[in-house]
């Protein structure tokens, strides 16, 4: 067995190695070993998405924005309402 043999790795590191390469698995191991990590469901920053939604909202495209950014119409409506409530 060699040092770069994925069979030597714990399951999660093996999966990372297979998906991203052994070097990436080693970097992730060195950065986060011993820590429990939880990844957010959303890839993008919700605050930034809210800013973009506000910029793109034209009063008629609520559904389009919800689909585009993967949120429900209710959530997009809330984003807009929250931003409007912030303004004096």
């Amino acid at each position: 067995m060699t040092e770069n043999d994925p069979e030597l790795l714990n399951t999660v590191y093996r999966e990372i190695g297979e998906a991203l390469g052994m070097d990436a698995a080693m970097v992730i191991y060195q950065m986060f070993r011993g820590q429990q990590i939880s990844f957010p469901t959303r890839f993008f920053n919700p605050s930034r998405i809210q800013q973009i939604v506000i910029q793109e909202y034209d009063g008629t495209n609520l559904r389009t924005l919800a689909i585009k950014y993967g949120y429900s119409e209710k959530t997009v409506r809330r984003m807009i309402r929250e931003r409007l409530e912030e303004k004096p």
Side-chain angles (χ1 to χ4, degrees):
M1 288 193 210
T2 67
E3 189 175 297
N4 287 331
D5 183 358
E7 293 301 315
L8 291 174
L9 304 178
N10 264 321
T11 306
V12 69
Y13 295 117
R14 183 175 337 127
E15 291 174 7
I16 292 169
E18 290 170 355
L20 304 175
M22 293 295 286
D23 290 338
M26 180 58 77
V27 169
I28 291 169
Y29 166 75
Q30 290 171 343
M31 289 177 68
F32 300 108
R33 67 178 169 209
Q35 297 181 41
Q36 184 172 351
I37 299 173
S38 172
F39 291 96
T41 303
R42 301 275 181 206
F43 188 68
F44 297 106
N45 180 332
S47 297
R48 181 66 182 119
I49 295 300
Q50 182 182 28
Q51 292 171 350
I52 293 169
V53 163
I54 299 303
Q55 290 171 355
E56 294 182 10
Y57 182 62
D58 66 10
T60 64
N61 61 345
L62 187 74
R63 180 178 172 89
T64 303
L65 292 171
I67 292 168
K68 181 177 180 179
Y69 294 108
Y71 286 92
S72 69
E73 288 181 45
K74 181 179 179 180
T75 299
V76 172
R77 194 176 298 112
R78 181 183 45 77
M79 288 177 175
I80 294 165
R81 185 181 65 244
E82 285 175 358
R83 182 55 60 104
L84 292 175
E85 289 172 356
E86 288 176 6
K87 292 184 178 183

